[in-house]
């Protein structure tokens, strides 16, 4: 599910745009980074401190995190490559 949502979101961005994606670390989402790289996007993991900074900038993320307390979340930085 994370891949489908990420792909739809990234498809709507211009080439070379940079996006932060937060996803749940579950078995179903394990191939997410590999799949995004296979589409030609550049992907880099971000440290937990970057997630905390993003929450400070966008308070709506706090609601998302509170709903998923039982699951480990990961944030990645993706640069769109539309080629």
């Amino acid at each position: 599910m994370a891949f489908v949502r990420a792909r739809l979101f990234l498809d709507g961005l211009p080439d070379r745009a940079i996006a932060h994606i937060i996803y749940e670390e579950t078995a179903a989402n394990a191939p997410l980074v590999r799949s995004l790289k296979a589409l030609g996007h550049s992907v880099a993991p971000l440290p937990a401190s970057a997630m905390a900074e993003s929450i400070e900038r966008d308070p709506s993320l706090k609601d998302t995190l509170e709903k998923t307390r039982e699951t480990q979340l990961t944030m990645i930085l993706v640069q769109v490559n539309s080629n």
Side-chain angles (χ1 to χ4, degrees):
M1 184 64 137
F3 172 72
V4 173
R5 287 183 176 188
R7 182 169 184 180
L8 290 172
F9 175 71
L10 295 171
D11 284 351
L13 297 177
D15 194 37
R16 301 287 178 212
I18 295 177
H20 293 84
I21 295 177
I22 298 174
Y23 66 96
E24 295 177 346
E25 280 199 29
T26 63
N29 291 336
L32 176 63
V33 170
R34 178 181 47 85
S35 298
L36 292 175
K37 286 181 178 180
L39 292 174
H41 302 304
S42 301
V43 180
L46 292 174
S49 60
M51 191 180 306
E53 290 172 14
S54 294
I55 292 168
E56 287 179 21
R57 286 192 305 266
D58 185 357
S60 67
L61 291 175
K62 190 172 186 177
D63 294 336
T64 300
L65 294 177
E66 287 176 359
K67 292 176 186 173
T68 58
R69 285 182 190 222
E70 301 82 31
T71 307
Q72 176 68 32
L73 298 177
T74 298
M75 178 184 279
I76 56 174
L77 183 70
V78 180
Q79 182 175 21
V80 176
N81 293 316
S82 300
N83 301 333

